[in-house]
Amino acid sequence: MTTLTRSPVYHHLEKLAVTWGQIGDCPIALTVGPRDAEVSTFKRLALCDASALPKLGLKGPKAEAWLRVQEIPVPMAMFGVARLADGGVIVRVASNEFFLESGPAAETVPALAAKLKHEPGLHRLTRQDATFLVSGQRVHEALLQTCGIDLARQGVNAVIYTRVAGVSCAILPEQLSDQQAYRIWVDYTYADYLWEELHDIMHDLGGGIVGAGCFYLRLTVM
Amino acid sequence: MSNRLAPQEGELINRSMPVSFRFEGRSYSGFLGDSITSALYAHDVRLLGRSFKYHRPRGVYSLAHHDANVMVEDAQRTNMRGDVTPIAPHLDVRAVNTTGGLEKDLLRFTGLFSKMMPVGFYYKCFHTPRKLFPFYESQLRKIAGLGRINPAAQAVATPKRYDFCDALVVGSGPAGLAAAIEAAERGLKVIVVDDMPYIGGSLRYQWHNDPAAKQTLDKLIDRARALNLDIRTSTEAAGCYGDLWIALIDSKCLTKLRANTLIVAAGAFEQPAVFHNNDVPGVMLASAAQRLMRLYGVRPFQRGVLLAANGDGYRAALDLHGAGVNVAAIADLRPDGEPTDLAQRAADAGIPIHRGHTVYEVAGAGGRVSAAALCRVDAQGHADAAHMIRIDCDGVAMSVGWAPNGGLLYQAGAKFTYDPAVEQFLPQRLPPGVFAAGRVNGVFDLHAQMEDGARAALAAAAYLSRYAGPVPPAVKHGGAAPSHPYPIFHHPKGKNFVDLDEDIHLMDFVNAVQEGYDNIELIKRYTTVGMGPTQGKLSNMNAVRILAKLTQQSIDQTGTTTSRPFYQPVPMRHLAGRRFHPHRVTPMHQWHEQAAAKFTLVGVWHRPEYYAQPGRTREDLILAEAKHVREKVGLIDVGTLGKIEVFGRDAVKMLERTYTGKFENLAVGKTRYCLALDESGVIIDDGVVARLGDDRYYVTATTSGVDYLFREMQRNAMLWKLDVGLVNVTGRYTGMNIAGPMSRQVLAGLTNVDLSAEGFPYLGVREGEVAGVPARLLRVGFVGELGYEVHVPAASGLAVWQALMQAGAAHGIAPFGVEAQRLLRLEKGHIIIIADTDALTNPIEAGVEWALGKDKPFYIGQRSLDIVRKQQLTRKLAGFAFPQGYAGGLPEECNLIIERGEMTGRITSIAKRSTVGPALGLAFVRPTQANPGTPIDIRLDSGEMVQAKIVATPFYDPEHARQKQ
């Protein structure tokens, strides 16, 4: 497979019994270990790497108008979130700045990226954030050990900017596969550290690593 | 002999589950649920600890967190409170602070010399000769102290966690449970904590002879269960910080709880009376006797005396009587005795009552009470020792008053005043969101406590706008005061202890006041009252009463000491907890690991310092890596470099003001060195500005300085009201620098960018692709060779790095680390910010005046530099080198330059071996020393003086021909 891009935690996953898939040119772990065990982990406490999901940033006074022309639903509130057609999300991260991440179909962001050019008032931003998904019955306990925000009481349509294990992150509470889940975006270069910390804590709480297939049933083995 | 009572409802122990453990080398058995103290006491083990200073025998006193008589340690832990530490299989503990064991403690006779050791005696006796004080101190510490840490103990990892609630209720007694239930019924998210291992507080042991109390407890527990209340036992609210951050400590971890409101229903500490030998094992608080009986099914003594000053004492006497204890007498401090029917009930039980009497002294033998002497108390509160009633007994229980468990309230900012109606400090003014209920609030009647709890909960709900109805007024105590105003009695032989933690008796206070320590904070420091492990829970109130009397002030005038977190001792492992040390790695980190890189920490980044090879030294390898760059081609990971995108109509204005140089005339496709100063003209950062488009710039910054620089840029952009976009893309792009004469050949096969000298000249910037990845290429000369910085999106960094290494294999490409780069740039005379500059260095001193725009209207630090220029220069950064073939000692960075015995500068960078031959470096020197050819004397760490000469920089390729190829 052509893997020009890689998740920052790829090296952690490649040591495991992983079934790989690919989004764009980036590998993604679809399953980790035996199915029964993975399902059990998923229900109890799960950590998943979804960094392969394509991302894009836009900034500038013309960004919102450009998105509307592309028929992208634009969240009005600061840190508000709207769903993209491919299952992804768009976040208003500042008054004139947006962050987009495609869903597993990986259609919307690549299509927008192909159209988006720099022009006065509209600037394309490279986004390389790692995306981690955490969920399960004990997810709040795991997050309470890392984060000083009461995530259990946050709404589902807004991103929270906070620190997780001492690192600046954006967190989106959401329902995935009928479970309360949290999507954590973190700087690519802090991702390795954060993954290790989250994994240690989750391991102590009886959790573990699962593949993205647990969250996105439509992802298929390549 | 066993002191176990018959099984009873409500006890904490499970008699079907025996547990064996060891104490002081002997085996004992107890039941699951027993504490160390209760299990030992059941075996009639009265001697459970030794005191801090005099090594006096100590036993059960409060059977709670309130005294430190029973402190034990095992191989792993020390200073565990035996009263609240559960027994467990394989538990093997011994008492702390003994020499030769608890019973045969070699220091048990120390108390005989107590008159020679008043408080502070060691400061007075052992201050000269001064040099011997460490010796004295170490010996004193061996004699007086607590447990010893075992440095070989295995580290225990503990998590740290946060938690959140609308209302934290501290205390699960009647007031606390009533408050929690009311709050939960109002829809509040409630957490209840209690430092004891059971819920119910005093309802579990203190109201045994009141059948309604049992029903009340059952009802409260049923309602709490129905509401699924989050009740955490064995959990201390150990500290209260700003914005109601509360530190919760349980056996596993520290929880930082953010409470929207705090309801303190923590009750009150029963207070001891002060009389001669009030610490002999067998003398205990009445509540301790009740805990022993009702929680653990243990009889406190066979025949005892009860010293009372309130109804609680009579209840305890009846309780003891009911448990089969021969209550030989109630000595009631009050001349009129107990006003309620409890007095008649005690009389009906055949308990003799001595009104207006105190226990004057206790006789003890072998660490056990053998008798108590009662004396009448006169109108002035003195014990009349002329008429003593001696009662043989093996125990004395005291119930003379209470002190509020108000530590959290004090820490939250509450103001307390003394209320003579209850003879207790009460919270008079509470900060917003903080409420008090129950005994801590001066409410002692059982049903009134619950009313007060519900009131506090309603007030909390109203504060959170979750309740709009009326909040009842605060409940007031009715009837006689539950505390005696002065249960303290002088005795000519002393040993009437006020503070059992530190062995402080009444006379110590008299002495302290006579010496001028007549303020509560001063007397605390001088006598150390309240400074022991229990932080004065059983001593502070009596200390205040004593000081007030000695100074003839009111209690309010005397005041209290400051309550600071933590209120209970907290295991160090809890404070350490799980430690987060965030660090960053570049996308190529795993490749470096596999290539045997040795890493160094630069800011928060792990960077390859050099690449190890078997049999070769670090210095050899660094020099070899540098030579390889000079001769062939090397690749270094510069992904850690700061990277900022600047765009928008005012982008150039932003750069012009942020940096010293000129950027208005920077052409698209070109780069220029940039230097940033602070307002005082001090260098704070440097890098390269690359112009990618008309209003689009890509700026590099130093690895450790970019975050500060970026914040300043953001702040200034707002202050200056510029139409500019700023994005810190440090983590989004990674970078690598391919450098060396063959770098162009290596790169050419991988990119669509024209790499020719004409198409992509020195200091140019291009956007294109490298190995199929969108890239920004910058022609830079930091290491003094033909080179290209390749910046690509982080996720593609490894692929591009691998492609370059693969493409370069034919040219002998090799990775090089930070140390080789430092050497190469030093040979070029390039400075590194922070290494070659410090917090005061300006560009003139650093020799980078060329980077200052001459005719600019403004840049940060410009005006300060105008002032600096008018002043005499005091130092100058200059290159120096040792002669070829020099074989003497070489300096380290920061070694001093000495001229005629005076320090004139210091080494900032040194390369002991270089690709150009001699050892060379940069140093701050006096301006008069900065001319090439001037000898400088350098003092080595050893004190040896060596000489080098100032030389012009660059040391290598002064025409910069190689990097411009």
Side-chain angles (χ1 to χ4, degrees), chain A residues 6 126 128 141 144 189 204, chain B residues 161-162 578 584 732 795:
Chain A
R6 262 193 190 181
T126 295
Q128 298 282 292
E141 178 56 32
L144 285 172
T189 58
D204 289 350
Chain B
R161 63 194 295 279
Y162 295 91
R578 188 188 294 276
R584 305 175 85 168
R732 303 182 193 183

Side-chain angles (χ1 to χ4, degrees), chain B residues 566-578:
Chain B
F566 288 116
Y567 200 41
Q568 300 278 20
V570 174
M572 296 297 279
R573 66 178 183 275
H574 281 41
L575 297 180
R578 188 188 294 276

Side-chain angles (χ1 to χ4, degrees), chain A residues 94 119 128 139 154 200:
Chain A
E119 59 180 86
Q128 298 282 292
V139 67
Q154 304 298 322
D200 281 354

Side-chain angles (χ1 to χ4, degrees), chain A residues 80-157:
Chain A
V81 174
R83 290 283 156 186
L84 300 175
D86 67 354
V89 292
I90 174 172
V91 185
R92 184 187 284 265
V93 297
S95 58
N96 63 1
E97 183 176 349
F98 298 90
F99 166 59
L100 296 89
E101 180 180 79
S102 261
E107 293 162 354
T108 308
V109 165
L112 290 174
K115 291 180 190 170
L116 182 60
K117 306 291 180 208
H118 289 293
E119 59 180 86
L122 177 62
H123 298 275
R124 173 181 173 162
L125 303 177
T126 295
R127 297 297 305 230
Q128 298 282 292
D129 315 60
T131 304
F132 300 154
L133 301 171
V134 294
S135 74
Q137 292 148 0
R138 304 204 69 189
V139 67
H140 288 134
E141 178 56 32
L143 292 171
L144 285 172
Q145 290 192 23
T146 59
C147 179
I149 294 277
D150 189 3
L151 291 165
R153 288 191 165 194
Q154 304 298 322
V156 292
N157 282 318

Side-chain angles (χ1 to χ4, degrees), chain A residues 4-6 11 118 123 126-128 141 144-145 147-150 153 187-190 193 197 201 204, chain B residues 159-162 164 166 189 578 580-581 583-585 590 647 696 731-733 794-796 798-799:
Chain A
L4 277 180
T5 60
R6 262 193 190 181
H11 56 285
H118 289 293
H123 298 275
T126 295
R127 297 297 305 230
Q128 298 282 292
E141 178 56 32
L144 285 172
Q145 290 192 23
C147 179
I149 294 277
D150 189 3
R153 288 191 165 194
D187 183 288
Y188 192 99
T189 58
Y190 276 119
Y193 157 78
E197 290 294 342
I201 290 166
D204 289 350
Chain B
K160 252 185 202 169
R161 63 194 295 279
Y162 295 91
F164 308 88
D166 292 320
K189 182 187 173 190
R578 188 188 294 276
F580 293 127
H581 297 295
H583 60 261
R584 305 175 85 168
V585 295
Q590 305 308 315
F647 48 81
R696 208 159 57 89
R732 303 182 193 183
Y733 282 91
S796 305
L798 179 62

Side-chain angles (χ1 to χ4, degrees), chain B residues 701-784:
Chain B
T702 60
T703 295
S704 54
V706 64
D707 289 335
Y708 173 76
L709 178 73
F710 183 71
R711 281 196 301 272
E712 284 297 293
M713 289 173 80
Q714 284 182 306
R715 189 173 68 90
N716 288 330
M718 284 188 285
L719 285 174
W720 297 332
K721 296 183 170 58
L722 296 182
D723 177 10
V724 64
L726 297 165
V727 182
N728 184 348
V729 294
T730 300
R732 303 182 193 183
Y733 282 91
T734 194
M736 52 209 85
N737 183 10
I738 181 167
M742 297 177 188
S743 55
R744 183 175 283 136
Q745 289 99 305
V746 175
L747 186 57
L750 292 173
T751 183
N752 57 358
V753 173
D754 174 8
L755 297 183
S756 67
E758 302 74 29
F760 188 3
Y762 180 56
L763 298 183
V765 59
R766 297 289 182 271
E767 291 183 280
E769 283 190 354
V770 174
V773 173
R776 290 167 179 171
L777 286 77
L778 292 80
R779 272 204 64 183
V780 293
F782 191 53
V783 298

